[in-house]
Amino acid sequence: MRALSKSSHATKEQTRPGNGDDERATNERGPVAIAIHGGCGVMAKADLTDAEWAEARAALAEALRAGWRILAAGGRALDAVEAAVVAMEDSPHFNAGHGAALNEAGFHELDASIMDGATLSAGAVTLVRHIRNPIRAARAVLERSEAVFLGGEAADVFARAQGMATVEQSYFTTERHVKALATMKARQAAGEQAMASEAEKHGTVGAVALDRCGHLAAATSTGGYTNKPVGRIGDSPVIGAGTYARDGIVAVSGTGKGEVFLRHAVGHEVASRIAYLGETVAQAANKVVHGDLAPHRIGAGLVAVGADGSIAAPYNTDGMFRGWVATDGRMCIATHDEIWEFCGDRP
């Protein structure tokens, strides 16, 4: 594994082009691609040791491999994004599942959504408290419920009825988020919430993928932001805001201040710019993150994959946990500006 310089490979507007062969993308021999994010709420480099940063990159790599293995074997994009998000929900390095943020009352309320670009079918859950992997519950809503969106206790009950693993609240709690809640409450008491870092405030995980049949899918999961109001719902479980996928256009998963993402319908906006203005994936993604959202002065980022396998991962914070395997099969991982390429290490 080696780090690539910004000049040779990437900036905060990272883009990887596909192979441009639109015809191949519609049959079983078409290109595949996947991109993931672990949230734009990334700690400053000095906040973790080199070993801890290496662990975080390894967790991103494992999530990428979980999704890539499915795509490489000819599996569905929907299965790939679910697998990648499950891996991040199970890791304490990200704000989703195990490692989720605590709300103002000191407990967890989790959100997740998933969308199939082939059919525009979608499933979402919000304010769940006991589902070990909320993204699995969202997938079950997509496939086994007449609803698209289930919330609160009803979502937990539905998940149990589907035989999904449920856990006590303590499973989600990590020492880092206990400390983050205490810090945010202290900032709130002093009227200094605006001084909080992105890492203290929020985080999300997500995945987007293109499979060999040319189908796109997107999935997003989050614990919300630290010290959030009880019952607060952000963009992550909302189709068209935090998650969106449409075959022939793009799949998008976002991370940032959910209230603003909701008002801008971020996922759908990226897709609309591509569909109606003819913009590339990179142009549309960058316009939304660095243009539409800029006046709000919020931390924001997203990952997107187009119908040709083009990948974009723009962000406006100091860093964003992210990674991708492009159509050439090369895997890259990043936390801040530099990008780590796993040379010769095919996922």
Side-chain angles (χ1 to χ4, degrees), residues 10-62:
T11 68
K12 291 186 180 181
E13 298 180 359
Q14 169 63 34
T15 302
R16 173 81 77 160
N19 64 9
D21 189 347
D22 294 334
E23 220 171 28
R24 287 185 63 208
T26 62
N27 61 53
E28 65 180 5
R29 298 174 61 188
V32 297
I34 185 170
I36 65 173
H37 71 78
C40 63
V42 177
M43 291 74 72
K45 291 182 181 179
D47 289 346
L48 296 179
T49 66
D50 288 346
E52 289 171 326
W53 281 119
E55 288 177 8
R57 290 195 296 269
L60 283 169
E62 182 52 39

Side-chain angles (χ1 to χ4, degrees), residues 126-332:
T126 189
L127 305 178
V128 299
R129 300 184 182 183
H130 297 288
I131 302 171
R132 176 179 173 130
N133 291 109
I135 197 63
R136 291 199 187 282
R139 174 73 180 270
V141 171
L142 183 157
E143 295 182 332
R144 308 175 206 168
S145 171
E146 294 181 3
V148 170
F149 204 167
L150 291 178
E153 184 179 357
D156 281 313
V157 170
F158 172 79
R160 289 192 184 97
Q162 299 301 315
M164 299 195 168
T166 56
V167 294
E168 295 300 319
Q169 279 268 304
S170 58
Y171 166 77
F172 304 117
T173 309
T174 61
E175 182 180 356
R176 181 166 73 87
H177 279 294
V178 171
K179 291 179 178 178
L181 179 62
T183 299
M184 286 298 292
K185 286 191 173 296
R187 290 191 185 280
Q188 184 179 46
E192 299 175 348
Q193 297 98 310
M195 296 175 61
S197 68
E198 295 298 328
E200 288 176 312
K201 289 186 289 188
H202 57 74
T204 309
V205 306
V208 293
L210 170 72
D211 65 30
R212 293 197 184 281
C213 293
H215 299 313
L216 294 163
T220 311
S221 181
T222 189
Y225 66 85
T226 301
N227 203 36
K228 67 181 180 179
V230 174
R232 177 264 186 185
I233 301 170
D235 68 299
S236 295
V238 178
I239 301 303
T243 301
Y244 191 72
R246 181 177 168 189
D247 272 14
I249 307 296
V250 73
V252 181
S253 175
T255 170
K257 183 68 172 176
E259 284 71 13
V260 177
F261 273 55
L262 281 167
R263 293 196 289 270
H264 282 269
V266 165
H268 192 270
E269 182 67 13
V270 173
S272 295
R273 298 192 69 87
I274 296 168
Y276 306 130
L277 297 180
E279 293 183 346
T280 66
V281 171
Q283 289 170 336
N286 288 321
K287 175 60 171 64
V288 171
V289 171
H290 298 295
D292 296 352
L293 301 181
H296 299 282
R297 300 183 183 277
I298 62 163
L302 61 83
V303 290
V305 61
D308 63 350
S310 298
I311 291 172
Y315 60 99
N316 64 11
T317 54
D318 289 341
M320 181 172 77
F321 286 117
R322 63 203 188 280
W324 55 89
V325 182
T327 55
D328 60 9
R330 299 168 70 185
M331 183 168 71
C332 295

Side-chain angles (χ1 to χ4, degrees), residues 109-122:
E109 292 181 308
L110 313 178
D111 307 323
S113 63
I114 190 168
M115 187 169 187
D116 183 355
T119 62
L120 301 187
S121 297

